[in-house]
Amino acid sequence: METLSTPLPSLPRYSTSLTVNNDHGHPVFLHIKQCTNSSQLGQIHAQMLRTGLFFDPYSASKLFAASALLPFSSLDYARKVFDQIPKPNLHSWNTLIRVYASSPEPLQGILIFLRMVHESPYYPNKFTFPFVIKAAAEIFSLCVGQALHGLAIKASLGADVFISNSLIHLYLSCGDLDSAYRVFTMIGEKDVVSWNSMITGLAQRGCAEKAFQLFQEMEEEGVKPNDVTMVGVLSACAKKLDLELGRWVCSYIERKGIRVDLTLSNAMLDMYTKCGSLEDAKRLFDMMEEKDIVTWTTMLDGYAKLGEYETAKQVLDTMPRQDIAAWNALISGYEQNGKSKEALSLYHELQQSQIAKPDGITLVSALSACAQLGAMGIGECIHAYVKEQGIKLNCHLTTSLIDMYSKCGDIKKALDVFYSVDRRDVFVWSAMIAGLAMHGQGRDAIDLFSRMQETMIKPNSVTFTNVLCACSHAGLVKEGKTFFSQMEPVYGIRPGVQHYSCMVDILGRAGLLEEAVEFIEKMPILPSDSVWGALLGACQIHGNVELAELACRHLLELDPENNGAYVLLSNVYAKTGKWDGVSRLRKHMRVTGLKKEQGCSRIEVNGVIHEFLAGDNCHPLSKEIYSKLDEIVVRLKSAGYLPNKSHLLQLIEEDEMQEHALNLHSEKIAIAFGLLYVEVSQPIRIIKNLRVCGDCHSVAKLVSRLYTREIILRDRYRFHHFSGGNCSCKDYW
């Protein structure tokens, strides 16, 4: 055990007549100040107990303050010291509340406050309230904060600037901007902390204009901004994506001689990257003498978000110290920009390197990438990792797992995850409703929506999009109309363009095309391309040329580069035998340089994603795949299969060439690959980037019967489940 360099003097016995009321009243106080570790403090504690000095409230408070606040302090030890004090003074109560408010157990700070109010002779003072209000902010308890606010007013301390600043922070932490601003306006003499709290809080919660307005008012009031102020203002510029304003703020900092520390430099860097100026960001980055992990991660994130992935990876590789935040920035950058294969590749690199341990954010991004690719095998490995590591499923992870299993075609496992958790927020419920909807289980989706409301979870805009999609895929017109009509009057959610698109889809799929057009004409907002696209898709299902031409015309006015519109209209022409229309569209696309989006199908085998394009022969196993495809065609024909050539965009006159073109569709190549390399006991899971055509649907259905295989095919719009020649999906061609 370590000892004091100077032996402790023999301390006199405490008597009731002795009152120690200043730091120089006893040599023990000097020794307390000189302590450098907990062992030395323990020796003093022991001697104070032996001499009786500990039972003087003032002396005990000095020892307790040291045990709670010194750099080597231990909260557990401090609490034991406090509990030994017969009659703690107000300073000791305040100190204990203070240390708990800043600890991982802020709730204990509130409980200690309540104990002080009920058990001690003291009433909270101006030092008590900021500490306990901070504890309430840490647990995001608005009701506790409001009660404390009331107590402060009752104690005639409502106007105290320190208490007011604490209340501003509390209300902002709890998302109550109005109350925070009300407290702010009632402060008579606002200090720089008051302004900083309000400006930063507004900026962080998306009120960038108001934050900058307050900054201007601050200047007019003659309050000098500091580095913390400028961090908040720069955050507002980043939220506004206003590069010019951000540059002005940086020049203002230089003109006013405001101290630029690492935090402020990082805020400037963050503003530049979020506003899309990597040139300014790189210049500042190179000038910075001091850099921390935030600096490097901000730079990496900036490159990733602007699609400069190679440079972002170079930044990651050259970082002096890599933490998980840096890996997350690049993984999520890949995933959010549609580069799911690269996201998973980097995730695997992270696991193999063992440089950092994947956290919840990593896993959410990786699961989202699996969902996009249909990589259920990899997704299952991530789920197994979560279980092995004992990672608790929060709502973010739960939502991602449900989404992954749903989009990979295993709705049963999605439901298993859903029912395995105790806590479900609106996003968890919405994800499960979406999963049921995309699998054609509309009634089940609606039942789940009803159960969600029974649990008092309020639906949001996304929930209603998913419910309406469920009605669309299941042909539930009446139910869809009811839900749509209830959105605003019952749930207070104003329908957005996505909801209108869903309603057009519901009406159109059901063949109510005239009603769909009337619905569009009565929309209170301008119809978007998705609305006209929904009508055009319905016209393809039902072969309505006149309305298809109307929808296509409006769609192209909004999005002239939309090649999908030409494809859909061409399919309508082909379906109704108007080959001159198909030819005209093909010529127009050739002249204008528009190309039909190439069909692409993906299939995962043993953790490897295999990708096939229409007519693809680049795969190293192409010879075996096409040999299998030829075998499939022979077996199909022997079973009475006739190709449906109406789904060809090109005007190909020779029957043999038409049939060959159909056979080269990417999903058929993927099916052949799956028959070769996916274990017989496992479903063949295929993800297609475009809508599956009617001929491929028929082929998949027949293949599942002839080869006794389960095939799960996901296209841009929904799932198609084939088993034994049956299809569980309800769709139209």
Side-chain angles (χ1 to χ4, degrees), residues 630-642:
D630 290 341
E631 174 204 306
I632 292 170
V633 171
V634 171
R635 290 191 65 175
L636 289 173
K637 286 184 175 180
S638 67
Y641 160 73
L642 292 173

Side-chain angles (χ1 to χ4, degrees), residues 530-545:
S530 63
V531 171
W532 292 112
L535 180 61
L536 182 54
C539 291
Q540 177 191 342
I541 293 170
H542 299 289
N544 190 313
V545 176

Side-chain angles (χ1 to χ4, degrees), residues 265-266 268-274 276-288 291-309 311-316 318-319 325-326 329-330:
S265 294
N266 285 339
M268 288 191 261
L269 194 68
D270 181 65
M271 181 276 296
Y272 283 135
T273 57
K274 284 190 170 131
S277 179
L278 287 178
E279 184 180 342
D280 284 325
K282 184 68 167 62
R283 189 183 304 114
L284 174 61
F285 180 82
D286 291 340
M287 288 170 57
M288 288 173 65
K291 300 180 179 77
D292 64 1
I293 193 69
V294 175
T295 316
W296 286 91
T297 304
T298 301
M299 204 67 211
L300 184 156
D301 192 43
Y303 282 120
K305 284 181 176 172
L306 290 177
E308 297 191 24
Y309 300 108
T311 311
K313 185 63 168 64
Q314 288 172 8
V315 172
L316 179 65
T318 54
M319 287 174 69
L330 189 50

